[in-house]
Each structure stands twice: as structure tokens, then as C-alpha cells.
């Protein structure tokens, strides 16, 4: 059973706070249902897109699961829980789930037999498929690279997925391409749980170095990525938070909270 969405204050989004074992159980439920579903994650980048891009917003609002995939969102949610006097158990950061927190646990998903890996270059995709075959023994795992994504490749991937008919799809095209693809093509895809995983395919393959998990628990994974990939990450760290702040201020003025009745 998937818990109801909970509000992340200040950032004006809703999320589905889950720990790893809870997510694994929830994914098992989605697979058993045999319907089309999505599993997304919220960090500051996705929240900026949520408030600035109608397609991304629509996808998130309709998603089955929206994980807390960023320290600021997780901590703000935790503060809200404490103010309401609600228990947090292990603490708020236990609910921060990046893709590499749960992908290595996919072997525990009951009934998982067919997995598709879409994205990254050919070498990374091949290595990730091999790694996932060892994580989910007995499952059929196959993949298609996403490098050089264009309309022709998108059509080819849609056709391949309809032939392969996986139960779980790891879609790692980077944000927001993967979200745009899901928004425009989800109705043409076979029933499955579609998980947007960003750069995790390269991390599963061992090509992209993963930050130590203790850094993630401290909310400092961004510093690791900034050191390794400054050109890719600097905008998100130094510029995007200000852009998001402007979007939230504008949203607050355009949609003022109703005054409490006396």
C-alpha cells in the first residue's frame, strides 16, 4: 500500500516519503497491479521544473510515487512533521531516497521478472544491464542506450518496450528529457512501473563514481558532484536555487493563501 502524499512546505510540492524497504514493497504492489505507473523523485531541480514547466508538473501530479530525492526537500518535510508533533522514527534523512539507494535492492521486489534499462551510452547501458542481472537473479534484464536521443530513437525505444513488455523500466535520460518523454509517450507504452533515474545508469555500471552514502545522509552529495562535474552541476548549485525562489515568490503572490475565517 502506498501512503498518501504529504506536503513539503515552502517548496509547494507533495511527495510520498518512503524508506527503502517501503519503496520496494510499493514497487512490488505496482507490478502486481499490472497497470502503468510512474516513480519519480523530487529535488530542487525537479521542483524548479515543476513550477516552471506545465508538462513536468502534470507528470508529477499524476505520478504513483514521488520520492524525496534531495536534502532540502527532505529536511523541510521533516521540520513540518516535527511541528505537527508526528514521529519520524529514524529521522527525516532516512526518507531521502536517491536512485542508488533503492536500485541495488530490486532483487527483493516480489514477482519482478522483466526489467528494461533505457538511457546512457552503449557501454554504460551494457554494464548496467549486466549488473542488474546479478542483482535480480532469474529476471530477464535488457536495455537500449539513450545517447544521441532524437525522435527516431524515441520511436525505436517505444517500439522495443512494446515488444519486450517489461514490468519495470529504469529510464535514465537526465532531467527534464526523461520527464518530457514520459509525459508525451506514457499512453503508448505497455503497462509497467516507469522509474525516472537520471544518471543512475552510469552509476550502476560503475562508470560514474557514486558519492559516499554518508555524504548523502548529511545532505552534501551536491558538493561531491560539484567537484567531479563542475560544468554540469554549478548552475544547479549556485543559480537554480535563486530561480526557484523567484518562482515560489511569484506563485505566492499569484495564489495567496485564503484568510482564516473568524
Amino acid at each position: 500500500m502506498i501512503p498518501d502524499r504529504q506536503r513539503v512546505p515552502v517548496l509547494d510540492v507533495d511527495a510520498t516519503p518512503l524508506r527503502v524497504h517501503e519503496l520496494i514493497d510499493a514497487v512490488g504492489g505496482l507490478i502486481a497491479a499490472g497497470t502503468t505507473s510512474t516513480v519519480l523523485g523530487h529535488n530542487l531541480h525537479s521542483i524548479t521544473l515543476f513550477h516552471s514547466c506545465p508538462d513536468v508538473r502534470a507528470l508529477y501530479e499524476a505520478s504513483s510515487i514521488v520520492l524525496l530525492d534531495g536534502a532540502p526537500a527532505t529536511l523541510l518535510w521533516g521540520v513540518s512533521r516535527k511541528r505537527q508533533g508526528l514521529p519520524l522514527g529514524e529521522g527525516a534523512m532516512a526518507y531521502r531516497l536517491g536512485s542508488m539507494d533503492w536500485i541495488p535492492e530490486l532483487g527483493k521486489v516480489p514477482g519482478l521478472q522483466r526489467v528494461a534499462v533505457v538511457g546512457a551510452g552503449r557501454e554504460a547501458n551494457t554494464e548496467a544491464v549486466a549488473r542488474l542481472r546479478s542483482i535480480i537473479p532469474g529476471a530477464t534484464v535488457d536495455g537500449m542506450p539513450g545517447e544521441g536521443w532524437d525522435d527516431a530513437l524515441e520511436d525505436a525505444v517505444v517500439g522495443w518496450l512494446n515488444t519486450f513488455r517489461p514490468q519495470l523500466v529504469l529510464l535514465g535520460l537526465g532531467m527534464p528529457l526523461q520527464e518530457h518523454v514520459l509525459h508525451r509517450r506514457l499512453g503508448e507504452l505497455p503497462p509497467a512501473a516507469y522509474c525516472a533515474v537520471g544518471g543512475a545508469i552510469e552509476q550502476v555500471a560503475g562508470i560514474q563514481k557514486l558519492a559516499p552514502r554518508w555524504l548523502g545522509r548529511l545532505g552534501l552529495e551536491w558538493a561531491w558532484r560539484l567537484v567531479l562535474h563542475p560544468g554540469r552541476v554549478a548552475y544547479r548549485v549556485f543559480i537554480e536555487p535563486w530561480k526557484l525562489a523567484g518562482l515560489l515568490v511569484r506563485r505566492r503572490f499569484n495564489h495567496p493563501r485564503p484568510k482564516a475565517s473568524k
Side-chain angles (χ1 to χ4, degrees):
M1 181 177 178
I2 300 171
D4 293 334
R5 296 281 184 88
Q6 296 181 26
R7 195 68 172 173
V8 179
V10 180
L11 300 177
D12 284 344
V13 295
D14 296 326
T16 322
L18 297 170
R19 290 165 293 181
V20 173
H21 70 278
E22 294 169 331
L23 174 61
I24 294 301
D25 289 345
V27 170
L30 294 176
I31 289 171
T35 57
T36 299
S37 57
T38 57
V39 178
L40 311 176
H42 252 327
N43 52 39
L44 288 185
H45 186 43
S46 67
I47 293 169
T48 302
L49 293 166
F50 178 93
H51 288 298
S52 60
C53 179
D55 286 0
V56 173
R57 185 185 188 93
L59 180 70
Y60 271 83
E61 288 179 339
S63 182
S64 307
I65 297 174
V66 179
L67 301 171
L68 291 166
D69 179 24
T74 306
L75 292 171
L76 283 168
W77 168 78
V79 168
S80 174
R81 294 278 293 182
K82 285 185 177 180
R83 286 178 176 173
Q84 296 173 59
L86 299 172
L88 275 175
E90 304 164 73
M93 291 303 284
Y95 293 84
R96 180 183 179 245
L97 295 189
S99 299
M100 288 305 293
D101 291 313
W102 57 266
I103 288 177
E105 303 299 315
L106 286 175
K108 299 176 183 177
V109 175
L112 182 55
Q113 298 176 342
R114 299 178 70 79
V115 179
V117 181
V118 178
R122 184 168 301 278
E123 179 186 359
N125 190 281
T126 300
E127 291 294 331
V129 166
R131 173 66 179 139
L132 284 163
R133 286 172 179 164
S134 68
I135 290 173
I136 321 168
T140 300
V141 184
D142 207 347
M144 281 193 70
E147 196 171 33
W149 192 271
D150 57 15
D151 290 346
L153 179 54
E154 185 171 310
D155 289 341
V157 167
V158 170
W160 173 71
L161 288 171
N162 276 289
T163 300
F164 182 43
R165 303 197 71 81
Q167 298 164 296
L168 179 75
V169 180
L170 301 181
L171 182 64
L173 300 175
M175 188 180 288
L177 177 57
Q178 60 197 13
E179 286 76 20
H180 287 312
V181 170
L182 284 174
H183 180 263
R184 64 177 171 253
R185 304 304 291 262
L186 198 59
E188 304 170 48
L189 294 172
Y194 293 86
C195 307
V197 298
I201 294 174
E202 291 185 344
Q203 294 170 349
V204 173
I207 290 175
Q208 186 181 122
K209 202 168 183 181
L210 186 64
R213 301 324 291 153
W214 63 267
L215 272 180
R217 289 191 293 271
L218 293 174
L220 295 174
E221 193 169 335
W222 61 269
W224 175 271
R225 293 178 179 174
L226 183 62
V227 170
L228 291 183
H229 308 286
R232 187 188 307 177
V233 179
Y235 175 83
R236 294 191 185 184
V237 172
F238 297 116
I239 305 298
E240 194 163 57
W242 296 103
K243 179 180 179 181
L244 175 58
L247 290 169
L248 292 172
V249 168
R250 194 178 311 126
R251 177 177 170 80
R252 189 60 53 86
F253 277 111
N254 291 338
H255 305 280
R257 293 178 179 176
K259 293 182 179 180
S261 57
K262 295 182 180 180

